[in-house]
């Protein structure tokens, strides 16, 4: 068994790149003018760090995904310990921190950060700003359970009229395996009873099901349909 396969099987590996670029969109104009090494489907960046003890090779793909490897200069092999999430101290965490700094530089220079994971959630966010001049805030951004939750408030008193978050889809649809962005809205209770019988509408996730409803943001519902219910929610918040 190869060393890489042993590590991935024995430990809970995490992909640093996916976490950092999860909510970002590649700016093609910036990266095309950056002078990076081009290959068929993207760009390659190679750099030494930690006084030359390590080097990394990072691939930035045209579709926006980013992959990378860190190599130990002494033996030339990939340095896998930096991907062991349970290791929060020691030398490997220092290597990981330096690698993350390089990834964050790439994020800053060549990407546009998004608020949410799905395309539809970000389109809806833009529409909310267009109609109500409101941007989301993230009161639980540093907490595991709410890392992707964005609150839209009607006024300075903090009244919510919408909440977008990323959840496991099986919380809404039995046996669904992937995650999905959702939006919670405040509607009249009789309308909620009617809507939850339709595709794309669900009893409110983690909120009062009598007054709130969940709409899934996976293209099941059109943007036009969703924004109409957002307008109702805005009016229902007193």
């Amino acid at each position: 068994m190869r060393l890489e396969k042993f590590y991935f099987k024995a430990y809970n590996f995490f992909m640093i790149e996916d976490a950092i670029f999860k909510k970002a969109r590649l700016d093609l104009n910036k990266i095309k003018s950056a002078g990076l090494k081009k290959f068929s489907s993207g760009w390659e960046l190679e750099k030494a760090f930690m006084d030359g003890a390590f080097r990394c090779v990072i691939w930035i793909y045209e579709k926006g995904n980013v992959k990378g490897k860190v190599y130990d200069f002494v033996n030339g092999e990939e340095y896998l310990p930096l991907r062991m999430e349970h290791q929060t101290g020691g030398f490997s965490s220092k290597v990981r921190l330096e690698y993350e700094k390089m990834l964050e530089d790439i994020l800053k220079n060549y990407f546009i950060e998004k608020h949410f994971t799905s395309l539809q959630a970000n389109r809806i966010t833009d529409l909310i700003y267009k109609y109500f001049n409101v941007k989301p805030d993230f009161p639980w951004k540093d907490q595991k359970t709410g890392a992707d939750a964005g609150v839209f408030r009607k006024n300075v008193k903090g009244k919510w009229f919408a909440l977008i978050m990323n959840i496991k889809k099986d919380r809404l649809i039995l046996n669904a395996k992937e995650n999905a962005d959702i939006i919670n809205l405040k509607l009249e209770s009789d309308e909620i009873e009617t809507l939850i019988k339709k595709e794309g509408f669900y009893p409110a996730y983690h909120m009062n099901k009598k007054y709130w409803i969940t709409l899934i943001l996976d293209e099941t519902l059109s943007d036009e349909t969703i924004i109409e219910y957002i307008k109702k929610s805005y009016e229902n918040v007193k």
Side-chain angles (χ1 to χ4, degrees):
M1 182 183 292
R2 290 178 59 188
L3 180 62
E4 291 92 339
K5 290 185 177 180
F6 168 77
Y7 273 117
F8 275 89
K9 188 174 181 180
Y11 297 98
N12 179 26
F13 261 51
F14 72 112
M15 302 309 295
I16 302 167
E17 302 84 3
D18 292 349
I20 289 177
F21 295 93
K22 181 181 180 182
K23 293 190 295 183
R25 175 170 56 85
L26 182 62
D27 188 326
L28 288 173
N29 291 327
K30 285 185 178 180
I31 198 163
K32 284 179 179 179
S33 61
L36 299 180
K37 182 180 178 181
K38 186 74 173 68
F39 62 94
S40 59
S41 57
W43 294 265
E44 179 180 297
L45 173 65
E46 184 172 350
K47 188 174 182 180
F49 64 104
M50 292 190 72
D51 296 325
F54 294 88
R55 70 178 179 91
C56 66
V57 183
I58 301 169
W59 299 276
I60 307 165
Y61 294 88
E62 290 178 351
K63 291 184 177 181
N65 53 319
V66 177
K67 302 297 179 186
K69 290 188 176 183
V70 172
Y71 296 93
D72 188 326
F73 182 79
V74 174
N75 54 33
E77 295 181 353
E78 185 178 356
Y79 186 73
L80 295 172
L82 92 159
R83 297 191 182 275
M84 296 177 196
E85 190 172 13
H86 67 283
Q87 291 192 6
T88 56
F91 185 73
S92 62
S93 65
K94 294 180 180 179
V95 178
R96 182 191 308 151
L97 181 62
E98 291 301 316
Y99 180 56
E100 288 175 348
K101 287 179 180 178
M102 286 184 282
L103 293 176
E104 287 164 359
D105 282 342
I106 291 173
L107 176 67
K108 180 180 178 181
N109 292 327
Y110 308 124
F111 282 77
I112 300 170
E113 290 196 72
K114 301 181 296 183
H115 289 296
F116 302 104
T117 303
S118 69
L119 292 174
Q120 187 168 41
N122 285 292
R123 294 198 307 269
I124 293 299
T125 300
D126 291 341
L127 287 172
I128 291 174
Y129 183 73
K130 174 183 176 181
Y131 286 105
F132 308 110
N133 196 33
V134 173
K135 292 183 178 182
D137 62 79
F138 298 85
W140 308 292
K141 194 170 185 180
D142 294 328
Q143 299 179 16
K144 256 186 175 179
T145 55
D148 296 312
V151 175
F152 297 82
R153 303 178 191 271
K154 184 172 182 178
N155 51 45
V156 293
K157 293 182 179 179
K159 297 286 187 178
W160 302 3
F161 65 91
L163 169 68
I164 293 180
M165 62 183 125
N166 187 273
I167 66 169
K168 291 184 181 297
K169 206 171 182 178
D170 63 5
R171 307 288 175 85
L172 306 177
I173 303 171
L174 189 64
N175 297 324
K177 295 181 179 180
E178 67 272 23
N179 279 28
D181 281 336
I182 61 169
I183 185 168
N184 283 356
L185 302 174
K186 189 174 187 181
L187 301 180
E188 298 294 338
S189 56
D190 55 346
E191 186 172 23
I192 290 173
E193 290 179 9
T194 301
L195 287 174
I196 59 175
K197 298 173 184 177
K198 299 180 179 181
E199 186 179 13
F201 299 88
Y202 301 90
Y205 176 77
H206 264 316
M207 295 184 77
N208 189 317
K209 292 175 173 51
K210 184 177 180 180
Y211 303 108
W212 292 81
I213 189 170
T214 290
L215 284 64
I216 195 163
L217 302 178
D218 66 350
E219 312 296 342
T220 298
L221 302 169
S222 69
D223 292 358
E224 292 76 14
T225 297
I226 294 168
I227 199 66
E228 287 307 311
Y229 287 108
I230 293 173
K231 290 176 181 179
K232 289 185 178 184
S233 182
Y234 186 87
E235 293 303 319
N236 285 334
V237 174
K238 306 299 183 182

